[in-house]
Amino acid sequence: MKKKQPDKSNALYTNEKLVSLYDTLNPWGQDNDFYFRLVGNSPQNILDVGCGTGTLAIKYAEFGHNVVGIDPAFQMIAKAMSKKNGKLVDWHVSTLQKFTNRSLFDFIIMSGHAFQCLHSDEDISEAFKSIFHLLRPTGSFVFESRNPKRRVWEHWIPEKTFKRLVLPNGVKFEMFHNVIDINEEFVTFEEHYLFEGSPEPIISQSTLRFAPYKKIKVLAAENHLIVDSVWGSWDGSIFEEDSPEIIVKLRQEVF
């Protein structure tokens, strides 16, 4: 009998061994600082979309905000719930499009380039429709996408991404990225993880969409969301054509 091959699709978020790496590979950084500063000090209702292992959601909750975290990957939510102060957040295994809530939110975030996992115009439009119905009239939605003009995927090759790392529990592993397909706005790549003592790597395959800012703005407007601000970097600089990031703050259109 032919051995069944493991599903590589987004294994980084569903394979328990890879989920254990997530915080090591994604420590608190400038992006987290940026999102944290945006909220301010007064208590607010916050929705963290694609919350992952909950690093930012828990930090918000620790500072007195009412926080809901959603992610489609059960394994990521389980990791978030197990963390110190994880019980401060209301966690849900859900996509944005399927999520409903009794109260509206002052602030909705989608960090970690999760927006790029929305592949079709329809996916993005459905997400924006959900945002419109979840926001308070005075609320805002902030997310980021890598600027396609920078062609960052050209650096996602083994010789530029190879790393040897050690987990907090002492487990050693090696990793690298490798792009396997580029099709217009879509980049498909693999992440290879080889744990010490393991004969074969675990491979996670993902496809990201590099939508231009003009397309994002048009799809938002079609769903009654207008651009309040757009930044090009985590230092808060204004977005320009060659900025590394497209960081967008949307609010509801006033009728």
Side-chain angles (χ1 to χ4, degrees):
M1 181 181 292
K2 187 176 180 180
K3 184 179 178 182
K4 184 179 179 180
Q5 295 298 312
D7 183 8
K8 298 188 292 185
S9 300
N10 295 311
L12 181 61
Y13 312 117
T14 59
N15 181 291
E16 290 186 9
K17 203 163 187 179
L18 296 188
V19 170
S20 71
L21 309 179
Y22 192 82
D23 289 341
T24 297
L25 299 175
N26 299 277
W28 186 277
Q30 284 185 305
D31 55 339
N32 302 95
D33 286 332
F34 181 90
Y35 280 105
F36 192 74
R37 288 194 303 268
L38 281 181
V39 174
N41 296 321
S42 59
Q44 299 193 56
N45 288 340
I46 300 173
L47 174 62
D48 186 347
V49 179
C51 62
T53 59
T55 299
L56 188 54
I58 292 172
K59 180 65 72 173
Y60 282 139
E62 288 174 340
F63 277 76
H65 300 292
N66 179 38
V67 186
V68 177
I70 64 172
D71 197 287
F74 166 80
Q75 294 83 353
M76 300 293 272
I77 291 292
K79 177 69 173 179
M81 293 176 67
S82 71
K83 289 184 174 182
K84 180 182 178 182
N85 292 330
K87 293 182 179 180
L88 296 176
V89 177
D90 181 15
W91 306 106
H92 296 266
V93 178
S94 178
T95 62
L96 173 60
Q97 294 89 331
K98 293 182 179 180
F99 179 71
T100 58
N101 200 61
R102 291 182 179 179
S103 58
L104 299 177
F105 294 95
D106 303 298
F107 192 72
I108 302 176
I109 68 165
M110 181 184 277
S111 63
H113 299 105
F115 182 81
Q116 293 185 251
C117 295
L118 300 172
H119 291 164
S120 68
D121 286 1
E122 291 75 16
D123 290 337
I124 295 174
S125 290
E126 287 301 314
F128 284 158
K129 286 176 185 176
S130 296
I131 291 296
F132 182 87
H133 292 295
L134 289 167
L135 273 179
R136 292 189 193 280
T138 56
S140 57
F141 170 46
V142 185
F143 62 95
E144 88 280 350
S145 186
R146 298 175 183 89
N147 187 355
K149 293 285 188 179
R150 294 294 288 265
R151 303 178 64 84
V152 67
W153 60 83
E154 293 179 349
H155 300 279
W156 295 352
I157 56 177
E159 53 266 39
K160 290 189 176 183
T161 58
F162 180 83
K163 295 178 182 177
R164 288 190 178 95
L165 299 169
V166 182
L167 292 175
N169 62 6
V171 173
K172 299 177 182 179
F173 67 96
E174 299 175 349
M175 65 165 291
F176 64 85
H177 293 58
N178 192 35
V179 171
I180 59 176
D181 186 62
I182 302 170
N183 184 8
E184 296 182 345
E185 295 179 2
F186 300 91
V187 177
T188 300
F189 64 100
E190 292 183 338
E191 297 169 83
H192 290 240
Y193 299 88
L194 181 61
F195 289 84
E196 186 177 48
S198 297
E200 296 181 352
I202 301 174
I203 300 173
S204 178
Q205 182 175 302
S206 303
T207 298
L208 299 179
R209 181 178 181 179
F210 286 76
Y213 171 59
K214 288 182 180 179
K215 168 63 73 172
I216 295 171
K217 186 177 180 180
V218 166
L219 290 173
E222 288 176 354
N223 291 281
H224 311 297
L225 295 170
I226 59 176
V227 175
D228 181 274
S229 302
V230 57
W231 302 275
S233 176
W234 301 117
D235 62 10
S237 57
I238 295 173
F239 173 73
E240 297 179 355
E241 187 175 347
D242 64 344
S243 295
E245 301 283 347
I246 307 170
I247 309 167
V248 184
K249 180 180 180 182
L250 300 177
R251 56 181 173 83
Q252 290 181 341
E253 181 180 3
V254 178
F255 295 98

